[in-house]
Amino acid sequence: MEKGFERPLLGDMSPEEFRVAGYSLVDWITRFLSEIGDYPVFPTVKPGEFASRLPAVAPDQGEAMAEILKDIDSLMPFMTHWNHPRFFAYFNSSASGPGILADLLTAALSPNAMLWQSCPAATELELVTLAWLRGLLGLPEDYFGIIHDTASTSTLHAVIAAREAASDLRIRELGMAGRGDLPALRVYCSEQTHSSFDKAVLSAGLGEASIRRVAVDDLFRMRVDAFEEALREDLASGARPLCAVATVGTTSCTAIDPVDEIASICERYKVWLHVDAAHAGPVAMLPEARHLFKGWERADSIVLNPHKWMFVPLDLSVLYTRRREAFLRAFSFVPEYLRTEQQAENLMDYGIPLGRRFRALKLWFVLRYFGADGMAARLREHLALARDFAGWIDAQPDFERMAAVPLSTVCFRAHPTGLDESELDALNERLMHSLNATGRIFLSHTRLNGQYVLRLVVSHLRTRDEDIAEAERLLLEKLKELRR
Ligand SMILES: *Cc1c(COP(=O)(O)O)cnc(C)c1O
């Protein structure tokens, strides 16, 4: 037992014990965040190594809080550090100070935002912060927003709502099984669309056979002519097109689908348009970048993740829609015990989960702390750093750029002379692993046109020009080593 603290037989820790442990944890986090750049960003450990150090069963006797806090350090060698300034992989997410503090407060308050009366502040703050964000993004006022955990969940909701918007199919009432009266159902995406759309379609019971994967052009954008041709073909064969997804900022190389043209076709054929801007969405705050989003204001639904490029800790995804009624048709189901008196928004009506975290709190903290100007300055800095890095790649004789850089993700590979395509693939794969093994930077890869490509993403709150310079230095050093 910790000195000075009687463990109560029942109930929670004492306020005094909480205060001491709380300050000590905040001190740990403060030191961690100020030294994060010195940690290896990527762990060199084997699967199962960490689990094998832990006891196989939970403790019988309670342990002192000081002992538990001491063990935080034992996690560190097994962490991939997402808060690290040289985390350049995937699409990163960075937790800012105000976001971290808000998450602590969310846990302390721990309300359930299912009904207005189950927590008026949580419900109303969600509505207000999403209206603020909508304004910053330049979206029309008829978009209604709701917070989910991830873009995968947001997109699943959009696909189910699109299915229910075709209310004449009576899928809510009758389901889809055993029905000879249902036409074949079709959904449309591009070859570069994120896999969360496929998963949403599978989860919505539409099946893999419903997916039409439309070809892309040389900039990896959905080909509008191919999209319209697929629609025509399906209609001619008696199939029923339900929805299409257009992406602003695809996951491989941040391609920008021609949303405006796709929207026109969707309107003409009465197809639900879902815009996936999970990563890129916040960039719409910049007037000079708004053109990349042209047409998204015509979408039926839009997803973006403040946990990706708005410095909000995981998890917080925003789903906007102008088709509220389709979401209600899809998801509203009110048992007796949840009936309430008030004429108020009950956010459980718009989605699958009943219990809902108070996620709006961290959006509120972050939007207020940085302000629209502070947020824009950081986004601009990321775009500029990525432009510089792309220029550096272009100037290197032994590297080449593999895609355009409309945002801040640079796709490139090493390309020394005298190697064939399969040797280049192997070299670049080894290059990435040897870079990541340094613990100094963390990159991820993709394939474009079948070729193995490295990605460097600049969207991290803590990334500065010296971090890009370090990546450049290591790229040259490791390539030289591998070529020896
Ligand atoms: C990251 C990403 C997703 C998936 O996001 P989650 O929140 O992890 O589910 C979907 N689409 C795009 C374009 C993304 O970049």
Side-chain angles (χ1 to χ4, degrees):
M1 183 62 53
E2 217 162 324
K3 261 206 227 71
F5 295 118
E6 284 295 306
R7 184 176 298 270
L9 285 174
L10 295 170
D12 198 6
M13 59 172 41
S14 70
E16 185 53 18
E17 187 179 6
F18 182 87
R19 199 185 63 80
V20 170
Y23 277 108
S24 135
L25 181 60
V26 168
D27 285 341
W28 188 95
I29 294 172
T30 305
R31 186 165 33 79
F32 169 73
L33 291 178
S34 60
E35 295 171 356
I36 175 73
D38 301 333
Y39 284 83
V41 56
F42 184 70
T44 44
V45 292
K46 302 253 167 337
E49 211 177 315
F50 179 60
S52 71
R53 296 191 183 185
L54 301 173
V57 293
D60 285 330
Q61 303 288 311
E63 298 176 49
M65 203 55 216
E67 289 303 311
I68 300 170
L69 293 177
K70 244 188 253 162
D71 280 343
I72 299 175
D73 288 319
S74 73
L75 295 172
M76 291 306 112
F78 300 91
M79 290 293 298
T80 301
H81 279 297
W82 285 71
N83 256 335
H84 196 291
R86 290 183 300 280
F87 185 110
F88 297 118
Y90 313 121
F91 283 137
N92 47 44
S93 48
S94 33
S96 58
I100 295 167
L101 293 171
D103 251 355
L104 177 64
L105 181 57
T106 294
L109 299 171
S110 206
N112 189 326
M114 56 189 187
L115 301 169
W116 177 84
Q117 78 167 22
S118 72
C119 187
T123 297
E124 294 187 16
L125 199 60
E126 185 160 337
L127 297 170
V128 169
T129 51
L130 294 190
W132 286 4
L133 181 60
R134 179 185 64 208
L136 295 176
L137 297 169
L139 286 169
E141 282 185 7
D142 60 343
Y143 277 100
F144 169 76
I146 183 141
I147 295 177
H148 287 296
D149 51 3
T150 58
S152 303
T153 302
S154 294
T155 294
L156 171 61
H157 282 82
V159 168
I160 295 176
R163 192 190 71 194
E164 291 307 318
S167 57
D168 57 304
L169 300 176
R170 303 194 66 215
I171 291 174
R172 173 168 175 136
E173 294 80 6
L174 304 175
M176 293 189 283
R179 288 179 62 183
D181 64 322
L182 277 185
L185 304 174
R186 289 286 177 266
V187 300
Y188 304 82
C189 63
S190 91
E191 291 164 346
Q192 294 286 322
T193 298
H194 190 268
S195 54
S196 56
F197 182 68
D198 299 65
K199 281 203 193 183
V201 171
L202 298 188
S203 308
L206 299 170
E208 283 176 332
S210 71
I211 301 176
R212 294 288 309 248
R213 227 175 287 282
V214 177
V216 294
D217 67 12
D218 55 352
L219 289 174
F220 306 101
R221 303 173 298 194
M222 182 191 278
R223 268 181 45 201
V224 179
D225 60 325
F227 172 39
E228 187 159 18
E229 196 180 303
L231 272 170
R232 282 218 198 91
E233 233 172 68
D234 288 339
L235 287 168
S237 73
R240 172 78 175 262
L242 286 182
C243 80
V245 59
T247 307
V248 180
T250 58
T251 310
S252 265
C253 66
T254 65
I256 315 283
D257 283 338
V259 180
D260 206 36
E261 292 169 70
I262 294 170
S264 297
I265 295 174
C266 286
E267 281 162 16
R268 198 171 327 129
Y269 292 89
K270 300 200 172 17
V271 171
W272 181 292
L273 174 59
H274 178 61
V275 169
D276 181 353
H279 162 72
V283 173
M285 289 185 209
L286 304 179
E288 70 272 24
R290 189 69 62 76
H291 65 276
L292 299 172
F293 298 81
K294 187 165 189 291
W296 78 330
E297 73 287 348
R298 299 162 72 187
D300 296 280
S301 53
I302 296 173
V303 60
L304 73 151
N305 280 0
H307 77 223
K308 276 184 172 162
W309 206 351
M310 273 180 64
F311 324 127
V312 172
L314 267 168
D315 46 13
L316 200 167
S317 174
V318 173
L319 179 65
Y320 282 113
T321 183
R322 59 197 344 167
R323 303 288 299 277
R324 250 193 233 222
E325 78 299 338
F327 285 82
L328 292 174
R329 177 177 159 80
F331 300 113
S332 181
F333 195 96
V334 187
E336 182 55 38
Y337 84 104
L338 294 173
R339 289 190 193 283
T340 55
E341 296 302 304
Q342 304 88 8
Q343 285 296 310
E345 219 48 272
N346 294 318
L347 295 175
M348 69 162 192
D349 287 337
Y350 296 92
I352 298 166
L354 172 60
R356 307 179 70 259
R357 286 189 77 210
F358 189 2
R359 293 191 181 85
L361 193 63
K362 53 187 170 181
L363 189 57
W364 192 49
F365 271 39
V366 166
L367 285 174
R368 289 182 61 189
Y369 181 80
F370 292 108
D373 291 349
M375 197 60 80
R378 286 164 176 81
L379 295 172
R380 279 196 185 101
E381 168 76 356
H382 295 159
L383 298 174
L385 288 175
R387 248 191 330 269
D388 291 350
F389 179 72
W392 181 85
I393 287 285
D394 291 345
Q396 296 304 309
D398 285 343
F399 286 93
E400 66 176 330
R401 199 144 54 77
M402 302 300 282
V405 183
L407 295 161
S408 64
T409 294
V410 182
C411 293
F412 65 99
R413 68 173 179 175
H415 191 173
T417 49
L419 298 185
D420 68 22
E421 281 300 329
S422 79
E423 290 167 333
L424 284 173
D425 279 3
L427 173 70
N428 279 283
E429 196 170 345
R430 282 193 357 254
L431 178 60
M432 186 181 76
H433 292 313
S434 68
L435 286 163
N436 290 347
T438 65
R440 299 286 300 162
I441 63 173
F442 182 38
L443 299 176
S444 61
H445 81 284
T446 188
R447 273 185 194 275
L448 295 172
N449 296 323
Q451 294 163 326
Y452 194 95
V453 171
L454 307 187
R455 288 164 78 261
L456 185 139
V457 180
V458 191
S459 56
H460 199 290
L461 179 62
R462 298 183 173 79
T463 299
R464 296 290 157 75
D465 46 10
E466 65 260 27
D467 300 305
I468 306 290
E470 175 72 350
E472 294 169 357
R473 191 185 67 73
L474 285 166
L475 278 165
L476 293 178
E477 180 184 304
K478 289 293 155 192
L479 179 61
K480 205 161 143 196
E481 274 177 33
L482 286 177
R483 294 287 286 157
R484 233 181 257 138

